[in-house]
Amino acid sequence: MQVVHYPNPVLRGGGKPVESFGKELETLAADMLATMYESSGVGLAAPQVGLAMNLLVLNPTGETTDRTDELVLVNPRILERKKIEYGQEGCLSFPGIYAEVERHKQIVVAYQDVTGKAIERKLGDFLARIVQHELDHLNGVLFVDRLSPADRLRVRTSLERLEERWRAGA
Ligand code: ZN
């Protein structure tokens, strides 16, 4: 599995509802987690590996040795949002770019696991931030869309560099 970089149009396509559960989906999620760990990420959404599916994986430690909070979310949606906070974010599809993004500090998320079981969880802080970032991917929204005008200006050159690389077919 390979992580696609901005401005690959699949990133704007987002995901579609997952309707088929079981072994195949479980394998796919495991492959995405392996790809995430290899890339030293803490979260990965299916569109980032070229799959138009509402599926995301995450682990706030980013470490294979600590999988306590590792999560696979199928068809996630946020039911409740509370409190706003700013925090630094990066994205595997935007190598080398980091910026402050406004997110909710507490969320309640409803999703299914790989077997199709419905789950509801209250998440906070970094875990909540990752879910919001990855869920944006499922809607074709990218973290650079959420930057302040000053930050947008600051990362412009880096974005143009990625665009050039994309045009060059790299
Ligand atoms: Zn991302």
Side-chain angles (χ1 to χ4, degrees), residues 60 120 141:
E120 223 176 274
V141 175

Side-chain angles (χ1 to χ4, degrees), residues 23-156:
K23 198 74 203 154
E24 214 170 301
L25 187 62
E26 194 182 330
T27 306
L28 188 59
D31 284 351
M32 280 176 61
L33 279 165
T35 304
M36 179 191 85
Y37 289 123
E38 275 164 29
S39 321
S40 303
V42 293
L44 186 67
Q48 290 183 278
V49 289
L51 301 168
M53 296 169 72
N54 288 343
L55 167 65
L56 59 91
V57 300
L58 62 97
N59 179 352
T61 68
E63 303 285 346
T64 49
T65 49
D66 184 357
R67 297 186 164 208
T68 318
D69 286 328
E70 187 183 274
L71 280 175
V72 174
L73 276 62
V74 186
N75 299 326
R77 61 185 205 282
I78 296 174
L79 303 178
E80 280 176 45
R81 301 169 170 83
K82 269 183 203 159
K83 292 183 191 162
I84 298 282
E85 74 176 359
Y86 284 84
Q88 176 107 319
E89 288 185 18
C91 179
L92 293 178
S93 298
F94 291 80
I97 300 179
Y98 300 90
E100 294 268 309
V101 182
E102 184 187 295
R103 300 284 183 192
H104 288 92
K105 192 175 160 61
Q106 289 167 14
I107 58 167
V108 175
V109 64
Y111 62 98
Q112 286 164 284
D113 69 9
V114 289
T115 69
K117 192 176 114 188
I119 300 172
E120 223 176 274
R121 276 188 67 167
K122 198 172 176 174
L123 301 173
D125 304 304
F126 192 43
L127 208 45
R129 175 171 296 275
I130 300 169
V131 169
Q132 289 168 86
H133 176 116
E134 302 308 333
L135 219 149
D136 266 357
H137 277 296
L138 305 184
N139 295 313
V141 175
L142 303 170
F143 85 121
V144 293
D145 302 338
R146 298 191 178 276
L147 303 190
S148 68
D151 271 344
R152 200 163 298 164
L153 204 59
R154 184 176 60 78
V155 304
R156 202 177 63 185

